[in-house]
Amino acid sequence: MANSDAFIDIRAVSKRFGSVTAVDGVDLAIRQGEFFSLLGASGCGKTTLLRMIAGFEMPTEGDILIDGQVMTDVPANRRPTNMVFQNYAIFPHLTVRDNIAYGLRKDGLPRADLDRKVDAALEMIKLSGYGARRSTELSGGQRQRVALARALIKRPKVLLLDEPLGALDKKLRETMQLELRQIQDEIGITFVFVTHDQEEALTMSCRVAVMAQGRVMQVATPRELYETPNSRAVASFIGTMNFFEATTKGIEGERLLLDAQGLGGIAAPVPGWQVNGKAVVAIRPEKLQLSLDRPQGEVSAAQGTILNSTYLGDRSHFHVRLDGVEAPIAVSAQNVERSMRDDLDDGTPVWLSWRDTAMVVLPG
Amino acid sequence: MSAQPQSRDTAARRWRGGYAVLYLAFLYVPILVLPVFSFNDSIFVSFPLKEFTTKWYAQLAGQPALFDALANSLKVAIFSAVFSTLLGIFAAKAMTRYRFPLQRPAFALVMLPLVIPEIILGLSLLIMVNRIGLSLSLYTVSIGHVLLCVPFAVAVLLSRFEGFDRSLEEASLDLGESAWMTFWRVTFPIVFPGIVSSLLLTFTISFDEFIIAFFLTGSETTLPVHIWSQLRFPQRLPSVLALGTLLLVASTLLIILAEWLRRRGIQPDKQPDM
Ligand SMILES: Nc1ncnc2c1ncn2[C@@H]1O[C@H](COP(=O)(O)OP(=O)(O)OP(=O)(O)O)[C@@H](O)[C@H]1O
Ligand SMILES: [Mg+2]
């Protein structure tokens, strides 16, 4: 699988620890200057894949190329990558300054140049004046920034980040997400960012690889991942999704005819995969409309009852019971008017409606 | 509410205080006898105390055999300290960095000399040395002391290595340093205080060890063995007390230094709460 535009080219890479397969036949082509995220639940092999790119683990099978060079025999200290560790790995016996300057020893810079570089790095991470501090006297967010500066000062071709924001509280995390994005935009280095937080992956990345059990399920832009997931696993991992078991009835022009549990006979856009009888129809909560009367016009509709509702200020969440569907259907509605949906008490019979384009048909 | 619980509380505290005083007295009064009588102007160790004198200390200077024994002890102690600390580093590293079959039993075996009676150790070493045909010398004493000291070294170093985060070494490699420079710039400075305190502790253990030295010593004796041999001569007892006092002070200082270094070393590792 030769990718001409792949800056980091991961070819059929597997990693086994004894009987555990941590990474299972992964192919990935990461482009130069891209903010690329590896997203997946705990234990799905994100860290292992990242460590193989960094050179801390050897692939059991397959090759990793960076900038056209095979990395297999290149040790970690010779690779054009730098890493921000999950726990930051700040050297406890060194000051902030010495931590940041750590990787520059080999360059043999004159003292003045070195100082200038470190000063610039301190400024970038907004820690000017903290240089003489012991690195143990820093807060979590500050440590994270020192780890970032220490890696970036080496001007790597690739920056690897292993859940760098995992240890921070929500507020600080959002600030750091913005800062990271800004820094990446400015310096244009390829970032490979590991996270298990789908929101973080979607807001920050150019493209995301969704992983599960050592495999890559889908590689796509955040929008594509959300709007056209390629499997039930990806669809349920990214955001909330309603699923309806369905059987296919045939294709009519651009449309696939299905019989879906709870929805009845419907026609959805033809999916990109080979349809063979069984399928799952998926609809996002915000793409479903609630109404008391049967809606008119170019929409499909199904009748159900309100199970419960949650008022969230800008929008409200509802759970609706549909006949023939076991799981309650999640519906999200924008509260564009003040007194909207006051009439939707629990137990109210309602109509659910949606456009045909709201449906995604997934392999069953 | 009433005064009762409070008074019971003070009573309990008084009991605990009394217990602590008794306990400390039990521990230290016998040791204090040493310095007290070393300044007493009488060759008999008995009350009432006589005049204050430093002549026993002066007398020490005129005993060449004593200085030979002191030199021997220093040699043995330095050898044992360096060697057992080295072995301790390997063992601690193996315990914390790697996973291998029979790791726990192996570790138990390494630590076992801690609980084997020294007299058994000494006796079995003596039999062993005789069987092999080695002649008894300071070397045989040193070997015995290494055996005795390794578990202590491991115990001290283990706490250091356990607190050592593997990713620090990876970070150094990642930043372009070689394995050797990583050891030199990261691993060593962080575990250094542990190594020093292990050296000091094992030095002290070897320096005043008697039983194994007694079994394994040849014509050249270590200081504790020399002191023991002097006890046959009653008139030498006060100068032995003087010597004992000096050793007591030196050992105490060493141990305090070792503990201080150990703590100082651990502190910078503490991660602030995030
Ligand atoms: N050194 C190792 N030895 C044995 N098994 C390992 C090793 N490293 C990882 N694994 C296993 O490989 C799998 C993937 O681990 P990995 O750390 O890559 O997951 P992750 O996606 O980073 O998870 P998390 O989000 O929890 O960090 C897990 O089942 C883990 O137990
Ligand atoms: Mg991980």
Side-chain angles (χ1 to χ4, degrees), chain A residues 43 46-48 86 162-163 194:
Chain A
K46 309 178 295 286
T47 297
T48 307
Q86 188 159 12
D162 191 357
E163 307 207 20
V194 163

Side-chain angles (χ1 to χ4, degrees), chain A residues 15-23 38-51 57 86 162-163 194-196 211 213-214:
Chain A
K15 176 71 187 181
R16 282 185 280 278
F17 298 103
S19 61
V20 181
T21 304
V23 171
L38 298 173
L39 172 67
S42 184
C44 72
K46 309 178 295 286
T47 297
T48 307
L49 186 57
L50 201 71
R51 288 171 59 81
E57 307 281 1
Q86 188 159 12
D162 191 357
E163 307 207 20
V194 163
T195 179
H196 64 254
M211 293 182 67
Q213 283 151 15

